[in-house]
mmCIF file of all heavy atoms in Angstrom:
data_model
loop_
_atom_site.group_PDB
_atom_site.id
_atom_site.type_symbol
_atom_site.label_atom_id
_atom_site.label_comp_id
_atom_site.label_asym_id
_atom_site.label_seq_id
_atom_site.Cartn_x
_atom_site.Cartn_y
_atom_site.Cartn_z
ATOM 1 N N VAL A 162 1.253 17.191 7.315
ATOM 2 C CA VAL A 162 0.351 16.782 6.237
ATOM 3 C C VAL A 162 0.792 15.435 5.654
ATOM 4 O O VAL A 162 -0.044 14.589 5.327
ATOM 5 C CB VAL A 162 0.270 17.879 5.150
ATOM 6 C CG1 VAL A 162 -0.605 17.433 3.997
ATOM 7 C CG2 VAL A 162 -0.293 19.156 5.737
ATOM 8 N N VAL A 163 2.107 15.223 5.561
ATOM 9 C CA VAL A 163 2.605 13.923 5.084
ATOM 10 C C VAL A 163 2.201 12.837 6.077
ATOM 11 O O VAL A 163 1.731 11.763 5.694
ATOM 12 C CB VAL A 163 4.141 13.955 4.886
ATOM 13 C CG1 VAL A 163 4.698 12.549 4.675
ATOM 14 C CG2 VAL A 163 4.484 14.821 3.673
ATOM 15 N N GLU A 164 2.353 13.112 7.357
ATOM 16 C CA GLU A 164 1.900 12.176 8.388
ATOM 17 C C GLU A 164 0.438 11.813 8.175
ATOM 18 O O GLU A 164 0.059 10.655 8.209
ATOM 19 C CB GLU A 164 2.027 12.824 9.779
ATOM 20 C CG GLU A 164 3.251 12.411 10.539
ATOM 21 C CD GLU A 164 3.192 12.894 11.987
ATOM 22 O OE1 GLU A 164 2.415 13.826 12.286
ATOM 23 O OE2 GLU A 164 3.930 12.330 12.798
ATOM 24 N N LEU A 165 -0.347 12.831 7.919
ATOM 25 C CA LEU A 165 -1.779 12.637 7.698
ATOM 26 C C LEU A 165 -2.029 11.706 6.517
ATOM 27 O O LEU A 165 -2.843 10.787 6.586
ATOM 28 C CB LEU A 165 -2.434 14.002 7.444
ATOM 29 C CG LEU A 165 -3.921 14.024 7.163
ATOM 30 C CD1 LEU A 165 -4.680 14.197 8.459
ATOM 31 C CD2 LEU A 165 -4.279 15.160 6.218
ATOM 32 N N ALA A 166 -1.250 11.924 5.442
ATOM 33 C CA ALA A 166 -1.449 11.125 4.231
ATOM 34 C C ALA A 166 -1.145 9.651 4.481
ATOM 35 O O ALA A 166 -1.805 8.778 3.941
ATOM 36 C CB ALA A 166 -0.576 11.657 3.105
ATOM 37 N N PHE A 167 -0.136 9.377 5.313
ATOM 38 C CA PHE A 167 0.313 8.001 5.467
ATOM 39 C C PHE A 167 -0.258 7.289 6.677
ATOM 40 O O PHE A 167 -0.331 6.074 6.696
ATOM 41 C CB PHE A 167 1.844 7.947 5.526
ATOM 42 C CG PHE A 167 2.463 8.251 4.206
ATOM 43 C CD1 PHE A 167 2.966 9.507 3.940
ATOM 44 C CD2 PHE A 167 2.504 7.287 3.210
ATOM 45 C CE1 PHE A 167 3.514 9.794 2.707
ATOM 46 C CE2 PHE A 167 3.045 7.562 1.982
ATOM 47 C CZ PHE A 167 3.556 8.821 1.730
ATOM 48 N N LEU A 168 -0.618 8.042 7.686
ATOM 49 C CA LEU A 168 -0.964 7.382 8.937
ATOM 50 C C LEU A 168 -2.437 7.333 9.224
ATOM 51 O O LEU A 168 -2.921 6.408 9.857
ATOM 52 C CB LEU A 168 -0.272 8.082 10.114
ATOM 53 C CG LEU A 168 1.243 8.164 10.036
ATOM 54 C CD1 LEU A 168 1.781 8.808 11.299
ATOM 55 C CD2 LEU A 168 1.841 6.789 9.830
ATOM 56 N N GLU A 169 -3.150 8.330 8.786
ATOM 57 C CA GLU A 169 -4.502 8.434 9.297
ATOM 58 C C GLU A 169 -5.509 7.667 8.476
ATOM 59 O O GLU A 169 -5.442 7.629 7.256
ATOM 60 C CB GLU A 169 -4.899 9.910 9.421
ATOM 61 C CG GLU A 169 -4.117 10.527 10.558
ATOM 62 C CD GLU A 169 -4.628 11.877 10.975
ATOM 63 O OE1 GLU A 169 -5.610 12.368 10.415
ATOM 64 O OE2 GLU A 169 -4.005 12.433 11.881
ATOM 65 N N GLU A 170 -6.405 7.053 9.186
ATOM 66 C CA GLU A 170 -7.534 6.386 8.541
ATOM 67 C C GLU A 170 -8.462 7.488 8.065
ATOM 68 O O GLU A 170 -9.550 7.664 8.562
ATOM 69 C CB GLU A 170 -8.251 5.490 9.562
ATOM 70 C CG GLU A 170 -7.433 4.300 9.990
ATOM 71 C CD GLU A 170 -7.406 3.193 8.944
ATOM 72 O OE1 GLU A 170 -8.148 3.295 7.951
ATOM 73 O OE2 GLU A 170 -6.647 2.251 9.124
ATOM 74 N N PHE A 171 -7.957 8.256 7.120
ATOM 75 C CA PHE A 171 -8.754 9.416 6.729
ATOM 76 C C PHE A 171 -9.678 9.057 5.585
ATOM 77 O O PHE A 171 -10.099 7.904 5.476
ATOM 78 C CB PHE A 171 -7.849 10.619 6.443
ATOM 79 C CG PHE A 171 -7.131 10.596 5.123
ATOM 80 C CD1 PHE A 171 -7.295 11.636 4.213
ATOM 81 C CD2 PHE A 171 -6.292 9.547 4.794
ATOM 82 C CE1 PHE A 171 -6.631 11.605 3.011
ATOM 83 C CE2 PHE A 171 -5.634 9.526 3.582
ATOM 84 C CZ PHE A 171 -5.806 10.555 2.687
ATOM 85 N N SER A 172 -9.957 9.981 4.742
ATOM 86 C CA SER A 172 -10.991 9.863 3.715
ATOM 87 C C SER A 172 -11.095 8.516 3.003
ATOM 88 O O SER A 172 -12.176 7.973 2.866
ATOM 89 C CB SER A 172 -10.769 10.952 2.686
ATOM 90 O OG SER A 172 -9.408 10.989 2.335
ATOM 91 N N HIS A 173 -9.949 7.945 2.574
ATOM 92 C CA HIS A 173 -10.024 6.760 1.738
ATOM 93 C C HIS A 173 -10.618 5.553 2.448
ATOM 94 O O HIS A 173 -11.185 4.683 1.809
ATOM 95 C CB HIS A 173 -8.644 6.392 1.208
ATOM 96 C CG HIS A 173 -8.153 7.323 0.157
ATOM 97 N ND1 HIS A 173 -8.711 7.386 -1.087
ATOM 98 C CD2 HIS A 173 -7.171 8.242 0.176
ATOM 99 C CE1 HIS A 173 -8.085 8.304 -1.803
ATOM 100 N NE2 HIS A 173 -7.153 8.841 -1.053
ATOM 101 N N GLN A 174 -10.440 5.509 3.762
ATOM 102 C CA GLN A 174 -10.893 4.319 4.476
ATOM 103 C C GLN A 174 -12.382 4.092 4.244
ATOM 104 O O GLN A 174 -12.832 2.987 4.065
ATOM 105 C CB GLN A 174 -10.607 4.440 5.972
ATOM 106 C CG GLN A 174 -10.836 3.126 6.700
ATOM 107 C CD GLN A 174 -11.561 3.330 8.005
ATOM 108 O OE1 GLN A 174 -12.022 4.420 8.311
ATOM 109 N NE2 GLN A 174 -11.668 2.271 8.771
ATOM 110 N N ASP A 175 -13.098 5.154 4.256
ATOM 111 C CA ASP A 175 -14.531 5.045 4.020
ATOM 112 C C ASP A 175 -14.875 5.955 2.849
ATOM 113 O O ASP A 175 -14.821 7.174 2.960
ATOM 114 C CB ASP A 175 -15.269 5.482 5.288
ATOM 115 C CG ASP A 175 -16.770 5.414 5.114
ATOM 116 O OD1 ASP A 175 -17.248 5.346 3.966
ATOM 117 O OD2 ASP A 175 -17.461 5.445 6.134
ATOM 118 N N VAL A 176 -15.198 5.332 1.742
ATOM 119 C CA VAL A 176 -15.363 6.095 0.509
ATOM 120 C C VAL A 176 -16.453 7.155 0.651
ATOM 121 O O VAL A 176 -16.290 8.296 0.232
ATOM 122 C CB VAL A 176 -15.683 5.155 -0.675
ATOM 123 C CG1 VAL A 176 -16.000 5.941 -1.924
ATOM 124 C CG2 VAL A 176 -14.518 4.224 -0.922
ATOM 125 N N ALA A 177 -17.530 6.783 1.289
ATOM 126 C CA ALA A 177 -18.612 7.741 1.489
ATOM 127 C C ALA A 177 -18.126 8.957 2.269
ATOM 128 O O ALA A 177 -18.460 10.093 1.943
ATOM 129 C CB ALA A 177 -19.763 7.076 2.221
ATOM 130 N N LYS A 178 -17.312 8.660 3.301
ATOM 131 C CA LYS A 178 -16.777 9.738 4.128
ATOM 132 C C LYS A 178 -15.903 10.653 3.287
ATOM 133 O O LYS A 178 -15.946 11.860 3.410
ATOM 134 C CB LYS A 178 -15.948 9.146 5.270
ATOM 135 C CG LYS A 178 -16.325 9.682 6.634
ATOM 136 C CD LYS A 178 -15.348 9.202 7.682
ATOM 137 C CE LYS A 178 -15.857 8.011 8.451
ATOM 138 N NZ LYS A 178 -14.823 7.373 9.263
ATOM 139 N N ARG A 179 -15.131 10.023 2.404
ATOM 140 C CA ARG A 179 -14.255 10.807 1.560
ATOM 141 C C ARG A 179 -15.049 11.779 0.706
ATOM 142 O O ARG A 179 -14.665 12.914 0.499
ATOM 143 C CB ARG A 179 -13.423 9.898 0.653
ATOM 144 C CG ARG A 179 -12.555 10.716 -0.283
ATOM 145 C CD ARG A 179 -11.764 9.879 -1.238
ATOM 146 N NE ARG A 179 -11.074 10.799 -2.159
ATOM 147 C CZ ARG A 179 -10.258 10.433 -3.112
ATOM 148 N NH1 ARG A 179 -10.012 9.172 -3.306
ATOM 149 N NH2 ARG A 179 -9.688 11.313 -3.884
ATOM 150 N N LEU A 180 -16.158 11.306 0.202
ATOM 151 C CA LEU A 180 -16.960 12.158 -0.670
ATOM 152 C C LEU A 180 -17.540 13.341 0.085
ATOM 153 O O LEU A 180 -17.819 14.389 -0.477
ATOM 154 C CB LEU A 180 -18.071 11.345 -1.319
ATOM 155 C CG LEU A 180 -17.580 10.300 -2.315
ATOM 156 C CD1 LEU A 180 -18.721 9.445 -2.799
ATOM 157 C CD2 LEU A 180 -16.864 10.960 -3.479
ATOM 158 N N ALA A 181 -17.718 13.179 1.380
ATOM 159 C CA ALA A 181 -18.259 14.260 2.196
ATOM 160 C C ALA A 181 -17.213 15.339 2.469
ATOM 161 O O ALA A 181 -17.558 16.438 2.868
ATOM 162 C CB ALA A 181 -18.794 13.697 3.507
ATOM 163 N N ILE A 182 -15.946 15.005 2.279
ATOM 164 C CA ILE A 182 -14.886 15.989 2.531
ATOM 165 C C ILE A 182 -14.790 16.952 1.356
ATOM 166 O O ILE A 182 -14.672 16.531 0.219
ATOM 167 C CB ILE A 182 -13.528 15.281 2.742
ATOM 168 C CG1 ILE A 182 -13.546 14.536 4.081
ATOM 169 C CG2 ILE A 182 -12.376 16.261 2.690
ATOM 170 C CD1 ILE A 182 -12.298 13.747 4.345
ATOM 171 N N PRO A 183 -14.900 18.238 1.628
ATOM 172 C CA PRO A 183 -14.802 19.187 0.527
ATOM 173 C C PRO A 183 -13.400 19.163 -0.075
ATOM 174 O O PRO A 183 -12.429 18.936 0.628
ATOM 175 C CB PRO A 183 -15.092 20.532 1.197
ATOM 176 C CG PRO A 183 -14.789 20.323 2.637
ATOM 177 C CD PRO A 183 -15.054 18.882 2.927
ATOM 178 N N LEU A 184 -13.339 19.330 -1.377
ATOM 179 C CA LEU A 184 -12.040 19.334 -2.042
ATOM 180 C C LEU A 184 -11.332 20.645 -1.734
ATOM 181 O O LEU A 184 -10.962 21.394 -2.609
ATOM 182 C CB LEU A 184 -12.222 19.167 -3.551
ATOM 183 C CG LEU A 184 -12.621 17.777 -4.022
ATOM 184 C CD1 LEU A 184 -12.995 17.809 -5.493
ATOM 185 C CD2 LEU A 184 -11.529 16.774 -3.762
ATOM 186 N N GLY A 185 -11.185 20.888 -0.469
ATOM 187 C CA GLY A 185 -10.630 22.167 -0.028
ATOM 188 C C GLY A 185 -9.244 22.030 0.547
ATOM 189 O O GLY A 185 -8.392 21.322 0.004
ATOM 190 N N THR A 186 -9.076 22.672 1.667
ATOM 191 C CA THR A 186 -7.766 22.829 2.275
ATOM 192 C C THR A 186 -7.004 21.519 2.440
ATOM 193 O O THR A 186 -5.865 21.419 2.013
ATOM 194 C CB THR A 186 -7.916 23.471 3.674
ATOM 195 O OG1 THR A 186 -9.090 24.253 3.666
ATOM 196 C CG2 THR A 186 -6.720 24.311 4.002
ATOM 197 N N VAL A 187 -7.639 20.528 3.062
ATOM 198 C CA VAL A 187 -6.908 19.304 3.402
ATOM 199 C C VAL A 187 -6.310 18.647 2.163
ATOM 200 O O VAL A 187 -5.118 18.354 2.112
ATOM 201 C CB VAL A 187 -7.814 18.305 4.150
ATOM 202 C CG1 VAL A 187 -7.102 16.984 4.347
ATOM 203 C CG2 VAL A 187 -8.230 18.891 5.491
ATOM 204 N N LYS A 188 -7.135 18.474 1.132
ATOM 205 C CA LYS A 188 -6.661 17.770 -0.055
ATOM 206 C C LYS A 188 -5.606 18.546 -0.830
ATOM 207 O O LYS A 188 -4.626 17.974 -1.280
ATOM 208 C CB LYS A 188 -7.833 17.407 -0.968
ATOM 209 C CG LYS A 188 -8.339 16.018 -0.691
ATOM 210 C CD LYS A 188 -9.251 15.505 -1.767
ATOM 211 C CE LYS A 188 -8.532 14.660 -2.784
ATOM 212 N NZ LYS A 188 -8.104 13.364 -2.298
ATOM 213 N N SER A 189 -5.812 19.839 -0.944
ATOM 214 C CA SER A 189 -4.826 20.598 -1.722
ATOM 215 C C SER A 189 -3.497 20.686 -0.963
ATOM 216 O O SER A 189 -2.437 20.628 -1.569
ATOM 217 C CB SER A 189 -5.363 21.979 -2.089
ATOM 218 O OG SER A 189 -5.660 22.707 -0.939
ATOM 219 N N ARG A 190 -3.589 20.784 0.381
ATOM 220 C CA ARG A 190 -2.337 20.812 1.157
ATOM 221 C C ARG A 190 -1.631 19.474 1.087
ATOM 222 O O ARG A 190 -0.413 19.390 1.033
ATOM 223 C CB ARG A 190 -2.631 21.195 2.611
ATOM 224 C CG ARG A 190 -2.855 22.682 2.767
ATOM 225 C CD ARG A 190 -3.258 23.033 4.170
ATOM 226 N NE ARG A 190 -2.270 22.654 5.151
ATOM 227 C CZ ARG A 190 -2.495 22.622 6.460
ATOM 228 N NH1 ARG A 190 -3.675 22.948 6.926
ATOM 229 N NH2 ARG A 190 -1.546 22.281 7.293
ATOM 230 N N LEU A 191 -2.444 18.405 1.090
ATOM 231 C CA LEU A 191 -1.893 17.062 0.973
ATOM 232 C C LEU A 191 -1.153 16.893 -0.355
ATOM 233 O O LEU A 191 -0.014 16.450 -0.408
ATOM 234 C CB LEU A 191 -3.034 16.055 1.085
ATOM 235 C CG LEU A 191 -2.703 14.590 0.859
ATOM 236 C CD1 LEU A 191 -1.663 14.136 1.858
ATOM 237 C CD2 LEU A 191 -3.958 13.743 0.999
ATOM 238 N N ARG A 192 -1.811 17.302 -1.437
ATOM 239 C CA ARG A 192 -1.195 17.196 -2.766
ATOM 240 C C ARG A 192 0.095 17.992 -2.815
ATOM 241 O O ARG A 192 1.102 17.546 -3.352
ATOM 242 C CB ARG A 192 -2.159 17.729 -3.831
ATOM 243 C CG ARG A 192 -3.326 16.812 -4.096
ATOM 244 C CD ARG A 192 -3.501 16.525 -5.589
ATOM 245 N NE ARG A 192 -4.245 15.277 -5.789
ATOM 246 C CZ ARG A 192 -5.562 15.216 -5.978
ATOM 247 N NH1 ARG A 192 -6.269 16.328 -6.012
ATOM 248 N NH2 ARG A 192 -6.150 14.042 -6.145
ATOM 249 N N LEU A 193 0.043 19.178 -2.202
ATOM 250 C CA LEU A 193 1.207 20.062 -2.217
ATOM 251 C C LEU A 193 2.380 19.419 -1.484
ATOM 252 O O LEU A 193 3.502 19.396 -1.978
ATOM 253 C CB LEU A 193 0.822 21.394 -1.555
ATOM 254 C CG LEU A 193 1.626 22.610 -1.967
ATOM 255 C CD1 LEU A 193 1.350 22.955 -3.430
ATOM 256 C CD2 LEU A 193 1.292 23.807 -1.078
ATOM 257 N N ALA A 194 2.098 18.873 -0.292
ATOM 258 C CA ALA A 194 3.163 18.264 0.505
ATOM 259 C C ALA A 194 3.729 17.041 -0.208
ATOM 260 O O ALA A 194 4.942 16.822 -0.239
ATOM 261 C CB ALA A 194 2.635 17.883 1.888
ATOM 262 N N LEU A 195 2.854 16.241 -0.819
ATOM 263 C CA LEU A 195 3.324 15.054 -1.525
ATOM 264 C C LEU A 195 4.146 15.424 -2.754
ATOM 265 O O LEU A 195 5.169 14.801 -3.029
ATOM 266 C CB LEU A 195 2.145 14.164 -1.932
ATOM 267 C CG LEU A 195 1.494 13.358 -0.809
ATOM 268 C CD1 LEU A 195 0.283 12.604 -1.340
ATOM 269 C CD2 LEU A 195 2.474 12.400 -0.167
ATOM 270 N N SER A 196 3.711 16.451 -3.459
ATOM 271 C CA SER A 196 4.470 16.810 -4.657
ATOM 272 C C SER A 196 5.805 17.433 -4.264
ATOM 273 O O SER A 196 6.809 17.250 -4.939
ATOM 274 C CB SER A 196 3.668 17.735 -5.576
ATOM 275 O OG SER A 196 3.511 18.988 -4.969
ATOM 276 N N HIS A 197 5.812 18.123 -3.121
ATOM 277 C CA HIS A 197 7.061 18.664 -2.595
ATOM 278 C C HIS A 197 8.023 17.521 -2.277
ATOM 279 O O HIS A 197 9.185 17.529 -2.672
ATOM 280 C CB HIS A 197 6.756 19.474 -1.330
ATOM 281 C CG HIS A 197 7.948 20.179 -0.754
ATOM 282 N ND1 HIS A 197 8.391 21.387 -1.230
ATOM 283 C CD2 HIS A 197 8.785 19.823 0.242
ATOM 284 C CE1 HIS A 197 9.460 21.749 -0.545
ATOM 285 N NE2 HIS A 197 9.718 20.810 0.353
ATOM 286 N N LEU A 198 7.504 16.508 -1.588
ATOM 287 C CA LEU A 198 8.299 15.340 -1.219
ATOM 288 C C LEU A 198 8.799 14.629 -2.475
ATOM 289 O O LEU A 198 9.955 14.242 -2.589
ATOM 290 C CB LEU A 198 7.452 14.405 -0.366
ATOM 291 C CG LEU A 198 8.135 13.182 0.230
ATOM 292 C CD1 LEU A 198 9.233 13.587 1.188
ATOM 293 C CD2 LEU A 198 7.116 12.303 0.951
ATOM 294 N N ARG A 199 7.889 14.487 -3.435
ATOM 295 C CA ARG A 199 8.211 13.811 -4.687
ATOM 296 C C ARG A 199 9.304 14.548 -5.446
ATOM 297 O O ARG A 199 10.229 13.942 -5.975
ATOM 298 C CB ARG A 199 6.945 13.786 -5.523
ATOM 299 C CG ARG A 199 6.849 12.670 -6.494
ATOM 300 C CD ARG A 199 5.407 12.664 -6.999
ATOM 301 N NE ARG A 199 5.101 11.475 -7.726
ATOM 302 C CZ ARG A 199 5.510 11.237 -8.952
ATOM 303 N NH1 ARG A 199 6.282 12.102 -9.577
ATOM 304 N NH2 ARG A 199 5.163 10.115 -9.555
ATOM 305 N N GLY A 200 9.189 15.888 -5.480
ATOM 306 C CA GLY A 200 10.201 16.705 -6.136
ATOM 307 C C GLY A 200 11.573 16.476 -5.503
ATOM 308 O O GLY A 200 12.577 16.311 -6.184
ATOM 309 N N LYS A 201 11.584 16.432 -4.159
ATOM 310 C CA LYS A 201 12.838 16.218 -3.442
ATOM 311 C C LYS A 201 13.413 14.836 -3.760
ATOM 312 O O LYS A 201 14.607 14.661 -3.906
ATOM 313 C CB LYS A 201 12.627 16.351 -1.944
ATOM 314 C CG LYS A 201 12.361 17.766 -1.507
ATOM 315 C CD LYS A 201 12.964 18.007 -0.125
ATOM 316 C CE LYS A 201 13.022 19.484 0.214
ATOM 317 N NZ LYS A 201 14.120 20.175 -0.458
ATOM 318 N N LEU A 202 12.518 13.831 -3.842
ATOM 319 C CA LEU A 202 12.970 12.483 -4.138
ATOM 320 C C LEU A 202 13.581 12.421 -5.539
ATOM 321 O O LEU A 202 14.577 11.770 -5.760
ATOM 322 C CB LEU A 202 11.801 11.494 -4.061
ATOM 323 C CG LEU A 202 11.237 11.260 -2.672
ATOM 324 C CD1 LEU A 202 10.020 10.366 -2.732
ATOM 325 C CD2 LEU A 202 12.292 10.651 -1.771
ATOM 326 N N GLU A 203 12.941 13.139 -6.468
ATOM 327 C CA GLU A 203 13.456 13.105 -7.844
ATOM 328 C C GLU A 203 14.814 13.799 -7.930
ATOM 329 O O GLU A 203 15.695 13.346 -8.654
ATOM 330 C CB GLU A 203 12.430 13.706 -8.814
ATOM 331 C CG GLU A 203 11.499 12.609 -9.320
ATOM 332 C CD GLU A 203 10.129 13.117 -9.745
ATOM 333 O OE1 GLU A 203 9.997 14.319 -10.047
ATOM 334 O OE2 GLU A 203 9.198 12.293 -9.759
ATOM 335 N N ASP A 204 14.979 14.888 -7.146
ATOM 336 C CA ASP A 204 16.300 15.550 -7.091
ATOM 337 C C ASP A 204 17.367 14.565 -6.631
ATOM 338 O O ASP A 204 18.503 14.629 -7.029
ATOM 339 C CB ASP A 204 16.276 16.708 -6.077
ATOM 340 C CG ASP A 204 15.397 17.850 -6.564
ATOM 341 O OD1 ASP A 204 15.017 17.835 -7.750
ATOM 342 O OD2 ASP A 204 15.088 18.738 -5.749
#
Side-chain angles (χ1 to χ4, degrees):
Chain A
V162 177
V163 168
E164 261 190 341
L165 179 91
F167 289 100
L168 303 183
E169 289 193 1
E170 291 283 352
F171 77 123
S172 47
H173 288 291
Q174 190 223 8
D175 179 343
V176 174
K178 231 188 261 168
R179 177 183 175 178
L180 293 174
I182 290 177
L184 287 170
T186 332
V187 173
K188 266 194 96 71
S189 60
R190 282 175 60 193
L191 174 59
R192 287 231 158 95
L193 205 67
L195 285 176
S196 69
H197 185 82
L198 185 63
R199 207 168 192 285
K201 289 214 166 283
L202 291 175
E203 270 154 22
D204 291 348

